[in-house]
Amino acid sequence: MARVFSGVQPTGDIHIGNYLGALKQFVELQDQHECFFCVVDLHALTVPQDPVELKKKVIQLAGLYLAVGLDPSKVTIFVQSYVPAHSELAWLLECMTYFGELSRMTQFKDKSRGKENVSVGLFTYPDLMAADILLYDTNYVPVGADQKQHLELTRDIAQRFNNRYGETFVVPEPLIGKIGARIMSLTNPTKKMSKSEEDEMGRISLLDTPDKVKKKIMRAVTDSENRIYFDPENKPGLSNLISLMSVQTGQSVDEVVAQYEGKGYGALKKDLVEVTVNTLKGIQDRYYALSEEEIRVVLSEGAQRAGVIAEKTLRRVQEKMGLR
Ligand code: TYM
């Protein structure tokens, strides 16, 4: 059976972009593969976090994993920092990665631009991510389009290691959906929807109330042409709404366009509110029925299962490198 690994940072508001780009794929994969889904709390530390808030966010994200439909009897759900092998392998991989490679990462460039004090962790972030993936002999990594470059680096590091020390790592492949892999901000549709953007009007959080969803979608930035067609470059706002409709309903983009042709943006927005509220309702009903205790049990069992596999891989790598 093929292995699947992915992770989400427990920061900000987990939004519909995270869901449609990543979490929804996780659920679809759980019946076909052996899956590991991680709450990557160590990655969150690359920028300052409030410790009390971080603890809450870890439990919240694990709860959302369950609420979107991941079944802990089929998949392993765990917290990155509970499995020390992640940090240990990250160091070993840092020693296999070139400064120039990390300098070229667009996420690092975006997040560090204009900032005076940027942590070294933000720079080496992709090595920790590579460690996450490579520890589980992962075949497939379902992610949104923004993670593609990190996946390419992971593949390069794995291949470099295998060339230097002999076959050690499985070289993973990204799974990036065609539509939904890059959901844009509702207020600034040339930028991706982001958990941490200050203006929350740009994102639909998975825990937003129906009223909030309505307000955000009805106010979403479009253009003044009022003609419906899909053109992400020239009509990013409208095209984003069409994508949101398409991924949630399972209709193709052409079908959505055909349905609203001649009807104007208002009709599309109104229906999108209904569809989105519906998507979130299922998730929220399950989320609010969970207890913290239940979530903690899942995480502790998950860490145990993940830990056994991760430790084995780490030993294998250490031996190859002459450490044991
Ligand atoms: P993170 O926490 O930023 O995002 C979690 C997942 O959501 C996807 N995503 C989006 N998809 C569509 N539209 C958007 N606007 C959007 N924003 C985010 C992301 O691509 C991601 O799949 N580095 C990762 C976490 C990570 C990881 C890993 C992922 C750490 N280790 C190992 C895979 C494998 C991150 O910051 O994701």
Side-chain angles (χ1 to χ4, degrees), residues 219-230:
R219 287 199 195 162
V221 169
T222 47
D223 55 74
S224 55
E225 193 185 14
N226 214 22
R227 204 160 70 77
I228 304 247
Y229 56 95
F230 189 72

Side-chain angles (χ1 to χ4, degrees), residues 5-11 14-23 26 38 40 43 80 107 111 125 128-130 132-133 141-147 150-151 180-185 192-195:
F5 183 98
S6 199
V8 178
Q9 291 194 60
T11 50
I14 308 297
H15 55 67
I16 195 145
N18 299 128
Y19 177 62
L20 299 175
L23 296 166
F26 300 177
C38 189
V40 293
H43 276 110
Q80 187 184 34
Q107 184 170 302
K111 287 198 173 175
Y125 178 116
L128 180 58
M129 182 162 161
D132 298 340
I133 296 167
V141 186
V143 280
D146 61 334
Q147 297 300 315
H150 290 158
L151 256 297
R182 196 169 164 79
I183 297 295
M184 310 309 277
S185 158
K192 68 169 184 174
M193 187 178 281
S194 150
K195 284 191 224 139

